[in-house]
Amino acid sequence: METQVENAIEIAWNPTSDQSLKAQAFEFLNQLRSDTTGRQACLALFTRAPKCSEVVRLVCLDVVNNAIQTQQLDAQSLSHVRETLLEYIKRIYGSGSGGQIDPPSLQNKLTQTLTFLFISMYKQGWESFMDDFLALTSLQNNGSRDNIVGIVLYLRILGSVHDEIADVLVTRSQSETKRNTELKDIMRARDVQKVATSWQEILTQWIGQNDSIIEMTLKLIGKWVSWIDISLIVNQDTLNLLFQLAGRTNPSHREDKVRDAAIDTFTEIVAKKMKPSDKMNMIVFLNLGEVVSQLIASPALNDLRTTSSYDTDLAEAVAKLVNNVVFDIVKVLEDTTAETETRATAEQLCQSFLPLLLRFFSDEYDEICSTVIPSLTDLLTFLRKAKPLPPAYSAMLSPILNAIIQKMRYDETSNWGNEDEQTDEAEFQELRKRLQILQKTVAAVDEELYIEILSNVIGNTFQTLDQQGGQMDWRDLDLALHEMYLFGELALPNGGLYAKSQPSGVAAERLIAMMSKMVDSGIASFAHPAIQLQYMEICVRYCSFFENQTAYIPQVLEHFVSLVHHDHVRVRIRSWYLFHRFVKHLRAHVGNVAQTVIQSISDLLPIKAELPNENGADDDMSSDQSDHSADATFSGQLYLFEAIGCISSTTTTPVEKQTLYVRTIMGPLFSDVERSLPAAKTGDAQAILQIHHVIMALGTLAHGFSDWTPGNASTAHNAPVKEVAEEFGRAAEAILIALESLRSSFDIRTAARASFTRLMGVLGISILPLLPRWIDGLLSQSSSKDEMAMFLRLLDQVLFGFKKEIYTVLDSLLVPLLQRVFAGLAEPITGTDDEIQLAELRREYLTFVQIILNEGLGSVLVSDSNQGFFEPLIVSVTTLARTVSSGTGNLAASRLAFSVLNRMADLWGGPSIATLSANPIPSTGPPSPAFPGFDRFLIERFHPLCWEVLKDPQFRPVTDAQIKQVLNEIAGLEQTIYTKTGDMFLQHLQGSFFPAMGIDGADFIKSMTTSTDRKGLAAYLSGFLRQKG
C-alpha cells in the first residue's frame, strides 16, 4: 500500500506525467482521505527512514492532518498517530542535529497537525502535551534550554496553539468558542506557569547568542499575554529581560528586529484588558514614560533622525506603544465613574505622555505620524466634550495645534508635480485630510486659540515673503495658503464673509485681512506651480471678498489671464476651470474688461480634436501630459468658452459689443465645421470628433451667455435680447446642418442634444420653429431608447417654458414625434440594459403626455391634424397601464399611465355631475363631455382596463408599495369616471358589467360613491384583492 501511495503522489505532482495517469492518481489520493489503511500508509511514509521525497511526505501528512481536523479518527487511532509522530519528533528534533530536521514547509504542516492533535487530545488523552515538547528544548533534560531545533519547534507549536484557540481576529462558531474557552482554562491550571517560566529560561540562555530565537519568544509572549495572568509576564525577572532587550544599543544602525519585538511586547502588555485602576498602576509600574523617553533620546531615534540611517521600524514600534498607552489614559479620563485616585493618575500620565505623542506625530515619516493619529483623535474628542475645559488641558491645545500645522507642510524631499512621486503625493493629501479633521476638532475646543494661531502662521509667512521674495521656500508658502484655504470652514459657516457690508464674525474679519495681504503680496508671480495653483483656488473659494473689495478684481483677473497660459499642464488645465468659476461669480463686475480678456485668451480657444490612442497609452507624451489627456484638455477649454460667455454678457456691456464678442468667438468655430464636414460625411473619425467638439463649444458659450430658463420667474430679467438671439441662431443653424449630415453618429447626436438645452437660454422663443429639425436629427433611426428618453426630458422643459407659444409647433410635430417614440417602445429587448432603457423611455413618454395635459395643451392631442393619431395614443397608454408583470419599471409605468388616463378623464369628461359623499346625490343631469361620445369612451375603454388589472394574478401582493400606488391611481380613475358620468356609469355597472363578471358589485359601488377621496376606495380594493387571494 505504501508503494502505491508513494507512486500515486509522484505521478500526480510530476509535470511530465501523462494526463490520464495523473487523473487516476488524484482519484486514488482522494479516496485515501476516507480509507483507514491509506491513512496508516501515509503516516508510515511521513515518518519512514530513510525519508521519502518532500512532496510525498507533505501530501501524506496532509491526509493525516485532514483526518484529525475532520474528526474521522477514534481515540485509539488518535493515540497511534500521537505516538508515531512523537517518536519521530524525538528522533529528529530531540538530538540537536539540525541536519535531519524537516524543511520549513513540512515544519508548518507538522505544527498544524500537532495543533489539531492538541485540540482533540489535550483535555483527555495527551495531558503531557506541553511537557513532551518542552522536554525537546533540553538536550540532557537537565533544565538547560540548549537544543535550538527543539526550541524552534516548541515555539512554533505554542504560536500555532494560540492562533487556533485565542486569536480574537478569527471568527469562530459558538461551539468552537466554547471549546477554546475550556482549553484555555485547562491550560491556565495545568501548564501556563511552566510555559511562562520556559520563556524566561530561553531568553536568559540565548540573549546575545541567537536573535532569531529571542525574536520568536518575544512575539510569542506578545500573543499569549492577552489571555494569561499578567503577573506571569509583569514580574521583575521577565521585565528585566524585556527592558534589557528594548534598550539595547545597535552600533551598526541596521534594523534590530529583537529590540522592535521587545517594544511590541510592551505594546501588547499595555493592550491587555484589565480594570482601569490596574491599567494605570501597571503603566506607572512599568515606568513606560521613562522607557519611551530614553528610546527617543537614543541615537537611533535622535542623532540619526535626519539621516538615511534613521530607524523607522523602531520609531513605528515605539509610536505604537505610545498610541496604546494614550488610548488607555483617555479611556480613563472619559470614564465619569473612575475613582478619584485613578483619574488623577491618568491626568498626570496624560501630561507626561503628550510630548512623547507629539514627538511621533511630528515625525517626518507619515507612516509613523499616522500610527499615533488614533489616540490623538481620542484625546481631542475628550477635550471637545470637556465643558468647561480645565486650564491644565487648555495648555495642551497650543502645542497640539502647532504640531498639526507643521505636519501639514510638504517635507524637504518632496517635489510637487513630479511624475515619479504621484503615489507619495496622493498619500500626503490623504494625510492632510486626516490632519484637517484634527484641526477642526481643536477649533471646536477653543475657537479663539485656533483663529489666533492660524492668523499668526499665515501673517508671519506673508511677512517673510515680503522680506525674502522669490528666495522663500515654497513649502512654507504652500502651508500658509493651505491653512488659509481651510480657514474658510470657520470664517464661512453660512457661506458669506460679509453681512450687510461688514465682516460676518471675528474669523471672517481675519480672513478678509489675509485676502488683502495675499493679493497685495504679489504671491501670484511666485515662481512655483503649487503656489500659483493655490492662489487661484483661494481666490475662487473666497469670491465674496472681491464682491466687496472690487478694486482688487482687475489685478486678480490679470493674474488669472497670465496663469491660464501656465507652462505646467496641471496648473494650466485646472486654471481654466478656476478662471471660469471666478468670472461666473463676479460677472457683474468684469464687463468693462471683457474685450481685453477675450483678446488675451483667444490663443487658447482653437479646438484640436485628438482621437484617443488605440492602445490606451500615450507613449510619446511627457509625464505630466499623460495625466492630462486631449480629452481633459478639451473639457478645460469648454470652461474657457463658458467664461467668455459670462464676461461678454454682463448687463453693463452694450448689446452691440455682446454681438461683436459672440461673432468673434463663433466665426472660427463655424469655419471649423465647414472645413471638417466633407471628411466627416465620409466617416473620418477625427473630423467627426472635431465637429463634436465645436458643437459642444457653441453650446457651452451659449450657456455662459445666459442662465435664463424659460418659465422660471427668478431668471425672467435675464431673457435674451433679440440681437443676441439672432447671433446664436446662426450657431443653432450650424449645429443643425452638422446634425442633419451626421445624424448616424452617436457622438454628434450627444453633443447636439447637450447644446439644444443650452441654446434655449439664448434663443428663447426663436428655438420653436427649429424644433422639427431638432427632432428629426436627434430621434433618427440610429437613436437608442436612452437617447429618446433624454430628448423627451428636454422637450418637457420646452413645453413648460413656452406653453403659451408652442401650441402651433407642437400641433405640427406631435405625430412624427410620437411615431418615433412608438417605434422605440416596440423594439425587442435584448438584455438587462435594454430593459432598463425601455423602462426609462416608457416613463419619459408618459411624463411628456402628462405635461401636455397639465400645461393646458391637451387639446393638441385631439386637434384636427392629430385626431387620426388619438386611437394609437390611447392604445399605447392603456397597454402600459395594463402591463403589471414583474419586469423592470412595469409597475411604475402602469401607475403613470393610469395617472395620464385620469387626467384625460378629468380634462375631457366635462363638468362633474355626481358628487362623492357619505350620502351620494344622484347625478344632476346627463354627462356633457368635451367632445361627443367621450362619456361612453370612459365607461367602455377606461373602466374595463381597471378591472383587467385587478383580476390579473400578477397584480399581487397588495402589500407591495408599487402595487399600492397603482391601486391608488385605479381608484382615482374609477371615481373620476363616476363623477363625470354619474348614473350612466352606475347603470352600466349594475346592469351589465358586474353581472357579466359574476360578482355582486354593490360593495364596490358603495365604496366608490361614498369615499370622499381615492384612499377609501383604494383600501376597499385592497381588501377585495386579499379575499380573491
Side-chain angles (χ1 to χ4, degrees):
M1 184 68 173
E2 289 178 27
T3 308
Q4 277 183 287
V5 173
E6 187 173 6
N7 288 339
I9 295 170
E10 294 287 9
I11 290 167
W13 265 266
N14 186 342
T16 61
S17 297
D18 179 74
Q19 289 303 312
S20 61
L21 266 180
K22 258 191 175 188
Q24 289 174 40
F26 276 118
E27 181 62 31
F28 172 73
L29 293 172
N30 281 332
Q31 290 170 3
L32 275 185
R33 292 180 178 272
S34 54
D35 177 23
T36 307
T37 314
R39 285 197 297 265
Q40 288 174 347
C42 286
L43 185 61
L45 280 169
F46 174 75
T47 57
R48 190 178 79 185
K51 292 178 180 178
C52 306
S53 69
E54 188 176 331
V55 70
V56 170
R57 299 182 69 222
L58 190 61
V59 173
C60 285
L61 190 54
D62 186 60
V63 171
V64 177
N65 192 37
N66 179 68
I68 302 166
Q69 187 185 10
T70 54
Q71 299 176 349
Q72 296 179 35
L73 305 181
D74 56 21
Q76 189 178 349
S77 301
L78 282 170
S79 293
H80 173 65
V81 173
R82 182 201 71 188
E83 289 162 8
T84 308
L85 286 179
L86 194 54
E87 185 279 323
Y88 168 78
I89 288 165
K90 285 177 178 176
R91 171 161 49 92
I92 300 299
Y93 292 87
S95 65
S97 169
Q100 302 183 64
I101 64 166
D102 300 309
S105 58
L106 272 172
Q107 282 193 49
N108 289 340
K109 182 59 71 176
L110 179 59
T111 303
Q112 187 184 38
T113 307
L114 292 168
T115 303
F116 289 145
L117 281 172
F118 169 87
I119 299 294
S120 303
M121 303 180 73
Y122 182 69
K123 182 180 176 184
Q124 187 176 0
W126 198 355
E127 292 83 349
S128 62
F129 183 92
M130 289 296 170
D131 292 325
D132 290 341
F133 289 102
L134 183 55
L136 287 176
T137 63
S138 179
L139 289 172
Q140 305 300 324
N141 207 14
N142 58 4
S144 176
R145 307 297 168 200
D146 53 1
N147 180 13
I148 287 185
V149 293
I151 290 170
V152 170
L153 184 64
Y154 170 66
L155 295 175
R156 271 174 175 267
I157 291 167
L158 290 181
S160 180
V161 165
H162 165 86
D163 294 345
E164 190 61 35
I165 69 170
D167 190 340
V168 293
L169 298 177
V170 178
T171 307
R172 306 183 194 282
S173 67
Q174 201 170 348
S175 60
E176 285 177 329
T177 304
K178 185 181 175 185
R179 176 203 72 190
N180 292 346
T181 303
E182 191 178 359
L183 283 170
K184 284 188 284 188
D185 288 342
I186 297 169
M187 283 190 73
R188 289 186 189 107
R190 189 188 290 169
D191 285 322
V192 163
Q193 175 76 57
K194 66 181 79 162
V195 168
T197 305
S198 75
W199 293 333
Q200 280 185 30
E201 293 167 352
I202 292 169
L203 289 174
T204 305
Q205 178 118 13
W206 294 98
I207 277 182
Q209 295 188 52
N210 190 312
D211 278 1
S212 179
I213 286 179
I214 300 297
E215 186 189 356
M216 278 182 81
T217 308
L218 291 172
K219 286 184 174 177
L220 207 54
I221 294 171
K223 284 183 175 184
W224 279 53
V225 73
S226 64
W227 58 277
I228 65 174
D229 187 340
I230 191 69
S231 65
L232 295 172
I233 307 299
V234 181
N235 57 66
Q236 209 54 58
D237 291 339
T238 306
L239 287 177
N240 287 341
L241 292 166
L242 289 177
F243 285 133
Q244 180 186 343
L245 293 167
R248 77 177 191 179
T249 55
N250 181 13
S252 69
H253 305 316
R254 285 197 294 270
E255 182 184 15
D256 188 342
K257 290 184 177 180
V258 167
R259 183 183 53 193
D260 296 350
I263 294 163
D264 287 341
T265 306
F266 279 117
T267 303
E268 295 301 331
I269 291 170
V270 171
K272 183 175 174 65
K273 290 180 182 175
M274 58 179 78
K275 281 168 48 183
S277 56
D278 292 345
K279 181 65 72 75
M280 294 301 101
N281 291 335
M282 185 182 75
I283 292 170
V284 172
F285 174 72
L286 292 174
N287 199 13
L288 288 179
E290 183 59 32
V291 171
V292 171
S293 296
Q294 287 179 9
L295 286 166
I296 288 172
S298 70
L301 296 188
N302 187 28
D303 303 354
L304 302 175
R305 183 172 174 179
T306 56
T307 72
S308 58
S309 300
Y310 180 47
D311 194 336
T312 53
D313 292 315
L314 174 63
E316 204 165 340
V318 181
K320 192 176 175 186
L321 173 59
V322 171
N323 186 67
N324 277 18
V325 172
V326 175
F327 171 78
D328 281 315
I329 294 168
V330 174
K331 205 154 64 169
V332 172
L333 294 174
E334 287 176 332
D335 184 3
T336 52
T337 64
E339 296 169 7
T340 308
E341 190 180 339
T342 304
R343 192 175 184 80
T345 304
E347 287 175 350
Q348 287 175 353
L349 286 170
C350 189
Q351 294 290 344
S352 61
F353 267 88
L354 180 64
L356 310 179
L357 178 74
L358 293 181
R359 153 63 182 87
F360 292 106
F361 177 78
S362 307
D363 199 278
E364 292 77 6
Y365 286 84
D366 294 344
E367 298 86 349
I368 296 164
C369 166
S370 297
T371 304
V372 295
I373 285 180
S375 62
L376 183 56
T377 304
D378 290 344
L379 177 59
L380 286 172
T381 304
F382 160 70
L383 295 177
R384 192 185 68 207
K385 292 175 184 173
K387 305 282 184 185
L389 191 66
Y393 293 138
S394 296
M396 293 180 175
L397 287 172
S398 184
I400 289 174
L401 182 55
N402 282 319
I404 294 169
I405 292 168
Q406 277 311 304
K407 195 62 204 166
M408 290 268 197
R409 186 182 183 273
Y410 277 97
D411 67 43
E412 299 298 333
T413 59
S414 56
N415 292 305
W416 188 91
N418 190 328
E419 172 77 4
D420 298 334
E421 296 185 13
Q422 278 190 337
T423 305
D424 291 344
E425 168 81 11
E427 287 173 356
F428 177 62
Q429 293 307 330
E430 200 55 43
L431 176 65
R432 271 187 166 180
K433 287 177 188 171
R434 295 177 70 189
L435 296 171
Q436 183 186 348
I437 294 167
L438 293 175
Q439 203 165 279
K440 282 166 74 174
T441 312
V442 174
V445 179
D446 190 339
E447 187 175 302
E448 197 177 318
L449 175 77
Y450 177 85
I451 291 171
E452 202 56 46
I453 288 181
L454 257 71
S455 299
N456 288 338
V457 167
I458 295 163
N460 291 341
T461 304
F462 285 137
Q463 204 170 347
T464 308
L465 179 64
D466 285 343
Q467 296 162 357
Q468 297 183 4
Q471 301 304 307
M472 189 176 176
D473 191 327
W474 69 269
R475 297 170 186 83
D476 294 322
L477 267 181
D478 174 82
L479 173 64
L481 293 178
H482 181 68
E483 289 294 359
M484 199 168 154
Y485 189 87
L486 299 183
F487 197 74
E489 294 193 8
L490 195 65
L492 304 172
N494 303 312
L497 275 173
Y498 295 91
K500 296 180 180 176
S501 300
Q502 293 301 313
S504 57
V506 177
E509 192 176 343
R510 292 292 180 92
L511 184 56
I512 289 164
M514 292 175 198
M515 285 296 294
S516 299
K517 184 65 182 165
M518 181 188 78
V519 179
D520 289 334
S521 71
I523 199 171
S525 57
F526 188 87
H528 193 282
I531 306 308
Q532 293 162 327
L533 190 54
Q534 279 270 45
Y535 170 77
M536 290 186 285
E537 297 276 5
I538 289 170
C539 288
V540 169
R541 181 167 169 80
Y542 305 127
C543 264
S544 55
F545 166 79
F546 298 102
E547 286 179 326
N548 193 274
Q549 307 284 331
T550 52
Y552 283 118
I553 293 176
Q555 185 181 349
V556 175
L557 258 182
E558 196 177 320
H559 295 155
F560 267 99
V561 168
S562 167
L563 293 171
V564 294
H565 293 86
H566 204 283
D567 292 339
H568 198 294
V569 68
R570 178 171 158 189
V571 177
R572 185 169 67 250
I573 292 178
R574 177 67 180 168
S575 73
W576 296 349
Y577 165 74
L578 293 170
F579 174 64
H580 149 258
R581 285 278 310 279
F582 187 75
V583 299
K584 188 173 185 179
H585 193 95
L586 298 171
R587 69 189 302 173
H589 307 284
V590 297
N592 56 332
V593 293
Q595 190 164 356
T596 310
V597 171
I598 291 169
Q599 286 171 351
S600 301
I601 67 171
S602 59
D603 59 314
L604 300 172
L605 299 180
I607 293 170
K608 186 175 183 299
E610 289 182 32
L611 291 169
N613 196 318
E614 284 184 19
N615 60 18
D618 294 324
D619 296 328
D620 297 329
M621 299 177 81
S622 74
S623 58
D624 273 321
Q625 287 172 321
S626 64
D627 279 331
H628 301 276
S629 60
D631 196 40
T633 303
F634 172 64
S635 298
Q637 273 184 303
L638 289 179
Y639 287 119
L640 291 178
F641 279 104
E642 188 170 345
I644 285 176
C646 290
I647 294 175
S648 306
S649 58
T650 61
T651 49
T652 56
T653 307
V655 172
E656 61 274 14
K657 288 270 190 183
Q658 291 187 31
T659 54
L660 172 66
Y661 299 152
V662 174
R663 217 172 292 137
T664 305
I665 301 300
M666 292 199 306
L669 298 177
F670 293 155
S671 302
D672 257 2
V673 173
E674 203 176 335
R675 195 164 45 250
S676 303
L677 200 53
K681 285 179 182 175
T682 66
D684 184 301
Q686 202 276 335
I688 291 171
L689 189 62
Q690 182 74 18
I691 291 174
H692 163 275
H693 284 11
V694 169
I695 293 173
M696 290 295 291
L698 289 169
T700 308
L701 178 69
H703 186 57
F705 230 87
S706 173
D707 59 1
W708 174 70
T709 306
N712 186 337
S714 65
T715 59
H717 61 285
N718 291 338
V721 294
K722 179 172 171 289
E723 292 86 348
V724 172
E726 285 175 359
E727 285 301 326
F728 278 105
R730 295 171 61 219
E733 183 63 31
I735 293 171
L736 284 168
I737 289 170
L739 179 61
E740 286 159 352
S741 302
L742 305 168
R743 73 184 68 188
S744 61
S745 165
F746 172 78
D747 286 342
I748 297 297
R749 293 197 305 272
T750 302
R753 189 171 58 249
S755 296
F756 171 80
T757 183
R758 291 166 174 179
L759 283 166
M760 202 163 25
V762 285
L763 291 179
I765 197 169
S766 58
I767 200 170
L768 297 183
L770 302 173
L771 271 182
R773 291 173 68 191
W774 283 104
I775 290 169
D776 194 46
L778 291 174
L779 299 185
S780 73
Q781 299 299 320
S782 313
S783 300
S784 67
K785 289 187 273 291
D786 203 29
E787 289 180 78
M788 290 183 188
M790 283 191 280
F791 187 64
L792 283 174
R793 207 175 302 143
L794 295 181
L795 286 182
D796 293 346
Q797 196 180 337
V798 177
L799 289 178
F800 180 75
F802 301 111
K803 50 192 162 198
K804 293 177 183 171
E805 302 88 0
I806 200 171
Y807 185 91
T808 308
V809 176
L810 184 61
D811 191 39
S812 65
L813 62 78
L814 188 68
V815 171
L817 171 65
L818 292 183
Q819 281 174 335
R820 300 282 176 88
V821 174
F822 289 171
L825 290 170
E827 283 177 8
I829 295 172
T830 55
T832 308
D833 288 349
D834 224 21
E835 197 176 345
I836 292 168
Q837 286 189 15
L838 178 61
E840 185 73 10
L841 179 57
R842 285 170 173 169
R843 190 182 72 179
E844 293 303 334
Y845 159 60
L846 291 167
T847 304
F848 177 69
V849 176
Q850 196 173 41
I851 287 174
I852 289 175
L853 296 167
N854 289 343
E855 296 300 329
L857 296 166
S859 56
V860 79
L861 299 173
V862 289
S863 68
D864 291 344
S865 54
N866 295 325
Q867 268 181 3
F869 209 70
F870 184 69
E871 178 61 21
L873 172 70
I874 295 296
V875 168
S876 72
V877 176
T878 53
T879 301
L880 292 172
R882 69 164 56 91
T883 308
V884 289
S885 57
S886 59
T888 304
N890 285 348
L891 285 169
S894 175
R895 179 189 64 77
L896 258 178
F898 273 114
S899 177
V900 166
L901 295 174
N902 201 349
R903 186 72 184 119
M904 287 178 174
D906 187 47
L907 203 59
W908 297 326
S912 296
I913 59 171
T915 54
L916 306 170
S917 68
N919 300 302
I921 303 166
S923 47
T924 53
S928 51
F931 41 89
F934 193 68
D935 48 349
R936 298 302 314 169
F937 195 85
L938 289 175
I939 293 170
E940 293 169 7
R941 294 285 295 276
F942 286 13
H943 159 66
L945 179 67
C946 298
W947 285 86
E948 187 182 333
V949 170
L950 292 171
K951 290 190 296 180
D952 191 327
Q954 296 183 93
F955 194 60
R956 305 287 186 279
V958 288
T959 52
D960 182 275
Q962 285 191 307
I963 284 178
K964 280 183 180 176
Q965 290 175 340
V966 176
L967 206 56
N968 214 33
E969 293 296 340
I970 288 173
L973 179 55
E974 289 284 64
Q975 286 189 321
T976 302
I977 294 171
Y978 166 65
T979 59
K980 300 297 182 183
T981 59
D983 288 345
M984 179 196 286
F985 186 36
L986 296 182
Q987 288 165 14
H988 171 75
L989 292 175
Q990 293 164 332
S992 61
F993 185 75
F994 284 130
M997 283 179 67
I999 62 172
D1000 179 5
D1003 288 343
F1004 169 78
I1005 292 170
K1006 181 182 177 184
S1007 180
M1008 178 181 72
T1009 57
T1010 59
S1011 299
T1012 54
D1013 62 25
R1014 60 172 65 181
K1015 286 182 183 174
L1017 179 56
Y1020 164 78
L1021 290 173
S1022 183
F1024 175 80
L1025 290 177
R1026 281 197 186 91
Q1027 286 178 349
K1028 294 288 179 186

